Amino acid sequence: MANWIPIRSLARRHRKRIALHLLALTERDRYLRFGYAAADEQISRYAMAMDFDRDEVFGIFNRKLDLIAMAHLAYSPQPQRAGLPAMAEFGVSVLSQARGRGLGARLFERAALHARNRGIDTLFIHALSENGAMLKIARNAGATVERDGSESEAWLRLPPDTVSSHVGEAIERHMAELDFQFKRHVRVIGHIIDGVAEVKSKFNEAGKAAKL
């Protein structure tokens, strides 16, 4: 459990957090994530247009409850490749200060489990060929990667869902929620302690002033 990373499902109420996360991406990271140099307005529209009834969005929060990594699992009714059934498309973003901790790979595993439990048999990735980090995640998971010039496509066949896979996802979801609530309570307590300390400091200063 030492390497366990809490991944929380995001919903409509998290749109602002999602937008702030994506807006915090560097110019280079925006280019790799969206395939073009996305401007602030385009990112905000993307966050506001997310379909939470159809798709699934996952997030990883730090102790300050900042969204430091996020994955969007999009379900399209139209096939991404001719002659094949529609697949779930995976996209991920990790803030620069949170790199090197395997967050992207962990989000990929979580997304694959969710897609599997929804009866999807293939996870699909469309990325720029220069996005080595994303393609490495796909290859390490066993995905087939095809390069076509500046763009690459990867797909990973998923095993059928089982009772174990559903139970595993339920446990992941429950534990991540507990982790988030714990972090939130710690922050609330921290704010209260800071507030008490500030009041005490001002009270002491007022007492000293009264003695002068």
Side-chain angles (χ1 to χ4, degrees):
M1 295 296 290
N3 296 323
W4 179 71
I5 297 173
I7 297 176
R8 192 169 187 242
S9 292
L10 305 181
R12 290 183 181 84
R13 65 183 182 277
H14 299 116
R15 285 191 193 275
K16 184 177 180 180
R17 290 178 184 267
I18 291 170
L20 289 174
H21 164 78
L22 294 172
L23 289 169
L25 295 175
T26 65
E27 182 178 346
R28 172 66 175 171
D29 290 339
R30 292 185 185 193
Y31 172 68
L32 293 178
R33 172 63 183 85
F34 296 101
Y36 60 93
D40 289 357
E41 183 180 350
Q42 292 170 310
I43 286 178
S44 296
R45 284 203 303 266
Y46 170 82
M48 293 303 108
M50 280 184 168
D51 187 341
F52 290 94
D53 291 326
R54 182 195 65 195
D55 300 341
E56 189 72 22
V57 185
F58 302 102
I60 298 175
F61 295 87
N62 63 11
R63 293 181 180 178
K64 296 180 180 180
L65 299 185
D66 297 321
L67 186 60
I68 58 174
M70 187 196 85
H72 184 185
L73 188 61
Y75 294 92
S76 173
Q78 301 299 325
Q80 292 89 345
R81 293 175 63 89
L84 295 175
M87 298 173 273
E89 185 168 357
F90 175 82
V92 67
S93 54
V94 181
L95 297 186
S96 57
Q97 64 267 29
R99 299 276 169 75
R101 293 156 53 185
L103 303 187
R106 185 66 188 87
L107 283 165
F108 185 82
E109 293 172 3
R110 182 72 173 82
L113 177 63
H114 183 79
R116 173 186 174 188
N117 286 338
R118 279 189 60 167
I120 301 296
D121 64 5
T122 307
L123 199 59
F124 176 80
I125 295 171
H126 182 271
L128 294 173
S129 296
E130 60 190 283
N131 193 347
M134 181 70 261
L135 297 177
K136 181 180 179 180
I137 290 173
R139 287 193 179 96
N140 288 345
T144 300
V145 178
E146 285 188 359
R147 178 171 179 169
D148 183 13
S150 63
E151 298 182 350
S152 292
E153 293 181 346
W155 59 97
L156 176 68
R157 292 300 301 271
L158 303 174
D161 62 317
T162 63
V163 172
S164 178
S165 67
H166 282 278
V167 171
E169 184 177 15
I171 292 174
E172 286 260 4
R173 184 168 54 246
H174 179 67
M175 293 298 293
E177 185 63 28
L178 289 177
D179 175 84
F180 182 86
Q181 296 303 330
F182 175 76
K183 289 174 180 174
R184 188 173 70 173
H185 290 318
V186 168
R187 280 186 60 78
V188 170
I189 293 172
H191 289 322
I192 292 173
I193 293 174
D194 290 343
V196 170
E198 183 178 356
V199 170
K200 183 178 180 181
S201 176
K202 290 182 178 179
F203 180 80
N204 290 338
E205 290 175 1
K208 290 177 181 179
K211 292 178 181 180
L212 295 178

